Amino acid sequence: MHAARSVTISPPVELPESVQLSDVTDVRPSADIRNLERALLLLCVIFGAAQIWISRYALGSDGVSYLDIGDAFFRGDWAQAINRYWSPLYAWCEGIALGLIKPSMWWEPITVHAVNFVIYLLSLFSFRFFLHSVVRSLRNDSVEASGESALSEWILIGFGYCIFLWATIELIDASYITPDLMVAMFLFLIAGYLVELRASDSLGKFALFGLLCGAGYWSKAVMFPVSFGLLAILLFSGVLSKRQVIGV
């Protein structure tokens, strides 16, 4: 006859107050939200491509000036390539594309608009980076506070991409041969890093933030005064620290 086995029941383990249930909660976006974002991204690509294709032969007077500067840059004519009125970065991108592809007169405006479409795609994913930074920041803040999101991510994602479409298709017009779309791309990236640096700062991120501000100025001169405002926002957002002062 076997001896009876003793069973020891341990008392329940209480978690310390510093460990909250939210610390082990999965706060990743759901599959439904990811599918919604993929559909909205595809919609933005289709709308942008359609608008640029419809205007594929339109250049405009400003567009011709930018193409002349880009052509001078590719030839190495620095007296014409560097202009006090026209910002160089967008024109140089167009000039490099035309200089490398060397399209015929028929295909030249289509090539120019193809470059614009690439910039549009970069702007779209720059906006995605900014939107994800905002959603992630709000999600982390809500988890630390009460475990409930203050604003539905469905609303943020859906409303965000609708604003992007309205801004790029209606306000900026992705088919215009101007650097406005490129400026928007840099602003989205800068805004995203403003949010990222609020959560976790590093000298590398500060350096990249400065490079983006400089590139924005090279795409359009108005970014020069705007950059000072952005640096002020970066300095006084969140808790002021020595690293933050040095970074700015």
Side-chain angles (χ1 to χ4, degrees), residues 7 19 28 43 62 64 76 80 82 88 90 103 120 122 131 134 140 160 172 181 209 211 229 240 242 244:
V7 179
V19 179
R28 292 174 298 177
L43 186 67
D62 287 353
V64 173
Q80 297 293 327
I82 300 177
Y90 175 76
Y120 175 82
L122 293 175
L131 188 60
V134 172
N140 293 337
I172 296 175
L181 201 57
F209 183 90
L211 288 174
L240 190 63
K242 182 179 179 181
Q244 198 166 355

Side-chain angles (χ1 to χ4, degrees), residues 131-209:
L131 188 60
H132 277 222
S133 299
V134 172
V135 170
R136 184 166 51 249
S137 177
L138 291 175
R139 188 190 304 140
N140 293 337
D141 289 346
S142 65
V143 166
E144 292 176 3
S146 62
E148 296 181 358
S149 179
L151 186 61
S152 172
E153 292 184 17
W154 288 82
I155 298 176
L156 286 173
I157 297 293
F159 192 60
Y161 283 106
C162 287
I163 292 178
F164 173 83
L165 272 177
W166 174 70
T168 55
I169 301 298
E170 181 65 26
L171 291 183
I172 296 175
D173 194 339
S175 64
Y176 281 1
I177 309 303
T178 65
D180 293 347
L181 201 57
M182 181 176 283
V183 173
M185 176 189 72
F186 287 121
L187 280 175
F188 293 145
L189 290 172
I190 291 169
Y193 273 102
L194 275 175
V195 180
E196 292 288 326
L197 284 167
R198 176 178 171 271
S200 60
D201 57 0
S202 67
L203 293 180
K205 287 183 179 179
F206 281 117
L208 186 55
F209 183 90

Side-chain angles (χ1 to χ4, degrees), residues 229-244:
L230 294 170
L231 288 172
I233 294 173
L234 178 60
L235 179 62
F236 295 108
S237 62
V239 180
L240 190 63
S241 63
K242 182 179 179 181
R243 181 189 291 269
Q244 198 166 355

